[in-house]
Amino acid sequence: MKKLLLILSVVFIMPSCKTEEDKLNDMVANTTMASLYIPESYDPISTKCDTLARNILTEANIKKSAKIISLMREAESLQSRIDSDIESREYWRGKYGDFYNDYSKKVQRNEEKRNELKTKANKLFSELIEDYNSKCEFRGFVVEHKFRAKNNFGNIVFGDVIYILNKDKTEIIAAYDTSDDDFIGFVQMARAIGSGDYNLDDICNNIKYRYEL
């Protein structure tokens, strides 16, 4: 009887004796499957975990980089209009004063708006740089998880998700789809900052999204 009890205790205890890696994989798998159209099709490929030291990868900063890119591209579009209006203004110089004055006003108005857009973008960019260069300290863990699964059409697709875990590695506090355009733009901007490139015009001109990479 004692032998039987011992065997039963081992059977019931063993499943709970999971390693830290097993617990991490289970947590990641459960969270990933909860977001899938067909959870039973989930097929994990790899899970890489590392410590998180910088205060840069946040939802707020991803939105901030998307706003920066939007502002800079709007400014670039305005610049094209400014260039066209300058050509028209110069064409009418000395010929028809009213047309010349109208184009001059349009140029001035759009230049002011362009400068305002760039000022806003540079302010947000400075905040990103400050976050990137903030003191490095242990902030939790970052996990990159790759997997296969069927989409809502039944086709097998690849997924790549970044999870942020708390310091105890017991809870997922944020998740980011690496194929999302805002995330892609953020990563490229963060890499530029990390390399010491603070030329916002060049950075935004070089941003490539999912279908452009």
Side-chain angles (χ1 to χ4, degrees):
M1 185 66 177
K2 288 183 179 179
K3 186 174 181 181
L4 177 60
L5 290 173
L6 178 61
I7 292 173
L8 288 174
S9 67
V10 171
V11 169
F12 284 109
I13 290 173
M14 281 184 66
S16 65
C17 295
K18 292 185 177 181
T19 65
E20 187 176 284
E21 183 178 357
D22 291 334
K23 292 177 181 177
L24 172 64
N25 288 332
D26 286 348
M27 181 168 52
V28 167
N30 291 335
T31 303
T32 303
M33 284 191 288
S35 67
L36 298 178
Y37 287 102
I38 308 176
E40 59 270 23
S41 68
Y42 169 72
D43 180 20
I45 298 174
S46 65
T47 303
K48 297 178 181 178
C49 182
D50 203 353
T51 56
L52 183 66
R54 294 188 184 276
N55 187 34
I56 184 69
L57 181 52
T58 65
E59 186 68 31
N61 281 342
I62 291 173
K63 290 180 179 178
K64 190 174 291 185
S65 69
K67 183 64 175 178
I68 291 169
I69 294 168
S70 175
L71 289 168
M72 291 298 290
R73 292 193 169 174
E74 188 178 349
E76 184 180 4
S77 178
L78 270 177
Q79 184 60 55
S80 297
R81 288 160 59 184
I82 291 168
D83 292 340
S84 176
D85 287 340
I86 287 176
E87 287 186 13
S88 298
R89 181 191 65 186
E90 294 308 304
Y91 174 81
W92 291 107
R93 182 188 293 274
K95 296 180 181 178
Y96 194 80
D98 286 347
F99 282 0
Y100 175 83
N101 292 334
D102 286 344
Y103 281 112
S104 294
K105 290 176 182 177
K106 287 176 64 177
V107 168
Q108 182 179 359
R109 186 166 57 247
N110 285 330
E111 283 180 337
E112 289 173 354
K113 187 174 180 181
R114 176 205 59 195
N115 294 340
E116 182 181 342
L117 292 169
K118 286 196 169 188
T119 297
K120 290 180 180 178
N122 277 287
K123 182 179 182 298
L124 295 174
F125 187 57
S126 295
E127 293 173 5
L128 273 186
I129 294 172
E130 184 177 352
D131 276 353
Y132 188 95
N133 292 326
S134 62
K135 180 182 178 181
C136 287
E137 58 185 17
F138 177 55
R139 301 176 187 274
F141 296 89
V142 56
V143 174
E144 181 179 17
H145 181 56
K146 297 183 179 182
F147 62 94
R148 302 180 192 87
K150 290 183 179 180
N151 60 16
N152 55 326
F153 297 108
N155 300 319
I156 295 177
V157 295
F158 289 89
D160 189 353
V161 183
I162 298 293
Y163 291 114
I164 305 298
L165 278 60
N166 62 359
K167 293 182 179 181
D168 296 325
K169 205 186 284 187
T170 58
E171 181 184 359
I172 292 174
I173 58 178
Y176 306 105
D177 180 355
T178 63
S179 67
D180 178 74
D181 280 343
D182 286 351
F183 183 86
I184 291 171
F186 164 79
V187 169
Q188 292 176 70
M189 189 170 291
R191 284 176 178 166
I193 293 172
S195 69
D197 180 6
Y198 295 166
N199 188 319
L200 191 52
D201 286 292
D202 288 345
I203 292 173
C204 291
N205 286 335
N206 291 328
I207 294 290
K208 300 295 182 185
Y209 289 128
R210 178 176 21 171
Y211 299 113
E212 300 171 321
L213 293 172

